[in-house]
């Protein structure tokens, strides 16, 4: 696939979107969201249901107007230059909409290509090339209604790439895929980024966010509550959540919780199926103290840094 020439990616400033209806009070879906996505970078919008991810994506691809704030796509303003935005941006909202099930994969791409002003042999060549890139070359002549969900998602991405845009907005591209299809899709998406595209992806899949993203923006109720690399996000959670030590002791240790109460930096201790779960501020210091205190009575000890899921739940609030 030919990569795009260097362009500016996405620039979003103080984006707000309020939904109003006559019968209900106004609902603020986005409340001042700002971020950038550079060429060759993949930024993930991660957040629980209703956080504002799809609203952001729809504004960026000109399907929805912002109430206030600005967004530019490869330099084009979503409000004042929507046609230029559509030329410079490909998008995929996945799901069952946006493809014609009775048409073949190739026919679908050719149909959508005409909407970008493409035609004739160059269009057929581009569509066939993309089907090959997406691993659908041998299914080009099959009707989309016979495709699996993973194949449809890949076809959606091929559609988004028809006009070789420098910016891609992918809304939950791997929703509903099994782990193997999800991994295949992530590999494809990463390749598109490495070719120099600016990619914004929305998901609530933490594995996807962790594996794919250069940066993660955590959205909650229409505002960005954290912005960091996946590793940094985990480190932030480490500071906030501390470290979890799982400890197994010989059964004959009497009332270990009494001794554990003196563990340095202790934040909490409880048992789970015979294993002591000890939350501490400083993992290595506490582990050393435990080993010195219980000595050979320690059967097993493991120190686990917080997962991205811990970080995420800490930031968005654990509904549990
Ligand atoms: N057309 C609409 N009319 C009224 N409210 C809307 C509309 N679209 C979205 N909203 C509201 O805006 C808020 C954000 O919705 P949005 O779809 O952007 O969230 P999301 O983060 O994409 O959620 P999900 O993960 O469930 O897809 C929600 O409160 C939603 O109910």
């Amino acid at each position: 696939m030919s990569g795009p020439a260097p362009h500016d990616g996405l620039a979003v400033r103080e984006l707000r979107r309020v939904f109003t209806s006559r019968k209900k009070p106004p609902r603020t879906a986005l409340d001042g969201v700002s971020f950038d996505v550079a060429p060759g970078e993949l930024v993930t919008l991660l957040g629980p249901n209703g956080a504002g991810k799809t609203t952001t994506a729809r504004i960026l691809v000109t399907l929805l107007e912002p109430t206030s704030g600005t967004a530019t796509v490869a330099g084009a303003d979503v409000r004042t230059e929507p046609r230029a935005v559509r030329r410079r941006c490909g998008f995929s909202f996945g799901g069952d909409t946006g493809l014609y099930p009775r048409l073949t994969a190739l026919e679908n791409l050719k149909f959508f290509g005409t909407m970008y002003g493409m035609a004739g042999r160059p269009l057929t060549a581009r569509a066939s090339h993309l089907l090959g890139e997406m691993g659908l070359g041998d299914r080009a002549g099959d009707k989309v209604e016979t495709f699996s969900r993973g194949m449809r998602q890949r076809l959606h991405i091929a559609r988004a790439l028809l006009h070789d845009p420098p910016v891609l907005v992918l809304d939950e591209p791997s929703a509903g895929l099994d782990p193997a299809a999800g991994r295949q899709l992530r590999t494809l998406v990463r390749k598109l980024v490495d070719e120099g595209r600016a990619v914004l992806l929305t998901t609530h899949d933490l594995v996807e966010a962790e594996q794919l993203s250069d940066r993660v923006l955590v959205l909650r109720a229409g505002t960005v509550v954290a912005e960091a690399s996946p590793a940094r996000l985990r480190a932030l959670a480490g500071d906030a959540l501390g470290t979890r030590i799982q400890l197994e002791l010989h059964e004959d240790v009497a009332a270990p919780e009494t001794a554990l109460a003196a563990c340095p930096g202790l934040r909490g201790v409880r048992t789970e199926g015979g294993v002591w779960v000890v939350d501490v501020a400083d993992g290595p210091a506490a582990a050393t103290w435990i080993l010195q205190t219980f000595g050979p009575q320690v059967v097993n000890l493991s120190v686990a840094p917080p997962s991205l899921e811990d970080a995420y739940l800490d930031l968005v609030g654990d509904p549990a």
Side-chain angles (χ1 to χ4, degrees):
M1 220 174 294
S2 61
H7 279 86
D8 290 331
L10 283 165
V12 175
R13 296 290 175 271
E14 288 299 322
L15 211 56
R16 287 190 88 240
R17 172 71 206 206
V18 181
F19 288 104
T20 49
S21 81
R22 253 184 285 159
K23 290 187 185 150
K24 292 181 188 155
R27 177 176 286 148
T28 304
L30 289 181
D31 199 7
V33 166
S34 302
F35 63 89
D36 291 285
V37 186
E41 188 183 36
L42 188 144
V43 171
T44 295
L45 285 183
L46 180 69
N49 293 135
K53 304 180 296 294
T54 300
T55 301
T56 308
R58 292 182 69 208
I59 291 174
L60 291 174
V61 305
T62 74
L63 291 176
L64 194 66
E65 286 231 333
T67 304
S68 63
T70 59
T72 57
V73 176
D77 188 293
V78 293
R79 209 197 296 254
T80 57
E81 304 165 276
R83 287 167 69 92
V85 168
R86 279 177 231 135
R87 274 199 306 275
R88 296 171 201 181
C89 177
F91 62 87
S92 149
F93 284 83
D96 290 330
T97 54
L99 295 171
Y100 291 97
R102 295 285 176 91
L103 297 184
T104 68
L106 185 62
E107 286 165 349
N108 264 278
L109 292 189
K110 284 168 78 172
F111 172 77
F112 288 109
T114 58
M115 295 201 174
Y116 291 113
M118 304 165 81
R121 270 201 213 151
L123 172 55
T124 308
R126 175 77 183 149
S128 303
H129 172 73
L130 285 170
L131 288 170
E133 286 283 324
M134 295 294 136
L136 295 170
D138 58 341
R139 300 294 300 265
D142 291 353
K143 287 185 180 170
V144 168
E145 65 189 2
T146 68
F147 280 19
S148 70
R149 192 186 280 259
M151 293 164 71
R152 281 174 210 222
Q153 294 290 59
R154 282 182 276 145
L155 188 57
H156 273 292
I157 294 180
R159 198 194 87 162
L161 288 168
L162 275 167
H163 56 309
D164 202 8
V167 176
L168 279 179
V169 174
L170 307 176
D171 194 29
E172 303 202 20
S174 61
L177 299 193
D178 67 38
R183 191 177 321 132
Q184 194 180 27
L185 194 95
R186 286 195 282 280
T187 307
L188 276 173
V189 171
R190 192 64 233 180
K191 184 164 173 255
L192 300 173
V193 180
D194 293 341
E195 286 170 353
R197 291 183 182 81
V199 179
L200 181 74
L201 183 140
T202 78
T203 188
H204 25 205
D205 182 334
L206 290 153
V207 174
E208 181 158 285
E210 180 151 31
Q211 290 181 354
L212 264 184
S213 317
D214 297 302
R215 267 183 309 130
V216 178
L217 293 166
V218 182
L219 264 189
R220 182 180 60 189
T223 54
V224 177
V225 293
E227 176 176 356
S229 68
R232 175 84 191 118
L233 199 59
R234 229 176 297 117
L236 283 173
D239 295 343
L241 303 170
T243 301
R244 175 155 294 175
I245 294 178
Q246 307 236 0
L247 175 67
E248 267 180 79
L249 296 168
H250 270 297
E251 315 166 337
D252 52 1
V253 181
E257 65 273 30
T258 313
L260 283 169
C263 178
L266 185 75
R267 290 183 176 173
V269 59
R270 64 174 198 279
T271 51
E272 259 176 28
V275 176
W276 290 92
V277 178
V278 189
D279 288 323
V280 294
D282 178 351
T288 307
W289 181 89
I290 288 171
L291 288 169
Q292 283 168 353
T293 305
F294 293 99
Q297 290 164 313
V298 174
V299 176
N300 205 352
L301 179 146
S302 64
V303 180
S307 65
L308 191 66
E309 189 170 354
D310 294 329
Y312 171 76
L313 290 176
D314 189 50
L315 289 164
V316 301
D318 190 349

